[in-house]
Amino acid sequence: MNKLLALLLTALAGPALAQDVAALTVETKKAVLPVVPKVVNAMQEAVADKGVAGAISVCKEQAPELIRAKRQETGWDIRRVSLKPRNAERGTPDLWEVRQLADFNVRAALGEKPETLEKSEVVSIDGKPVFRYMKALPVGDVCLKCHGPAESLDPALKAKLAESYPQDQATGYAKGQIRGALTVKRPL
């Protein structure tokens, strides 16, 4: 009888959990996503003012600082991750993130617009419920200047990237591909 009751309660909780995930998604997006255009705008301004090599500091320092400020404001774990990280220390995805990035790549290959790709769900981490959200970051025109095909990058830029990121894997992208994602972990 207890198994039947548990099954019934789980079935009844399903729609409520879906509503909770939808509400958490809206709230998380509202709080976190405004950081993305700030980073893009900062990159565009830096490229225009300092050239491509001079703009490396935006991705290396300014973008992480914007994300760090958002983490402090919300108390959530917020990062940028990629299957081909430029900075492995900060940008290497965990297993859940690897699965989502792989799924984003498949969905994009099947025709979904990369800028619409996202995933949200409640998972258990160390026995505690955690809301996970991830938003794909597709390669735009400004991104190609440093993340495009390695053979097309200016030699001086390659040298500056190698100096700034000795373990760099983040080249070889084409416009519209999934460069990585913004990812959030919210304890519940």
Side-chain angles (χ1 to χ4, degrees):
M1 184 69 166
N2 287 340
K3 286 183 182 180
L4 180 60
L5 182 59
L7 184 61
L8 180 61
L9 290 174
T10 301
L12 293 174
L17 181 60
Q19 288 176 343
D20 290 345
V21 169
L24 287 165
T25 301
V26 168
E27 189 179 300
T28 301
K29 288 170 66 169
K30 184 178 178 183
V32 174
L33 290 186
V35 83
V36 175
K38 287 181 182 178
V39 171
V40 172
N41 290 340
M43 277 303 300
Q44 290 170 332
E45 289 173 12
V47 167
D49 292 346
K50 304 174 190 171
V52 178
I56 290 173
S57 65
V58 172
C59 271
K60 186 174 182 181
E61 298 160 12
Q62 191 173 352
E65 185 52 43
L66 288 168
I67 291 170
R68 189 173 15 264
K70 191 55 72 174
R71 272 198 313 264
Q72 289 174 343
E73 176 188 319
T74 61
W76 307 335
D77 180 7
I78 305 167
R79 304 181 312 130
R80 290 181 305 164
V81 296
S82 176
L83 294 174
K84 292 172 35 176
R86 177 145 280 168
N87 181 335
E89 187 178 309
R90 282 197 301 239
T92 300
D94 65 23
L95 184 58
W96 185 88
E97 294 160 340
V98 167
R99 284 195 300 261
Q100 304 323 313
L101 286 165
D103 183 59
F104 289 168
N105 284 329
V106 168
R107 290 167 56 192
L110 292 174
E112 285 189 59
K113 292 183 178 187
E115 61 274 7
T116 68
L117 298 173
E118 64 182 7
K119 173 68 176 182
S120 54
E121 68 180 327
V122 175
V123 300
S124 178
I125 298 177
D126 297 328
K128 296 182 176 135
V130 175
F131 176 73
R132 303 277 325 243
Y133 173 77
M134 210 164 153
K135 172 76 172 156
L137 299 173
V139 175
D141 289 327
V142 73
C143 308
L144 287 173
K145 296 177 187 316
C146 286
H147 295 286
E151 60 277 2
S152 70
L153 299 179
D154 177 72
L157 175 61
K158 281 185 190 180
K160 182 76 172 165
L161 286 170
E163 177 187 317
S164 297
Y165 302 103
Q167 307 292 318
D168 186 16
Q169 301 173 46
T171 59
Y173 288 99
K175 186 175 179 178
Q177 285 185 307
I178 308 299
R179 161 71 184 95
L182 188 67
T183 183
V184 179
K185 282 191 244 180
R186 279 181 71 176
L188 299 176

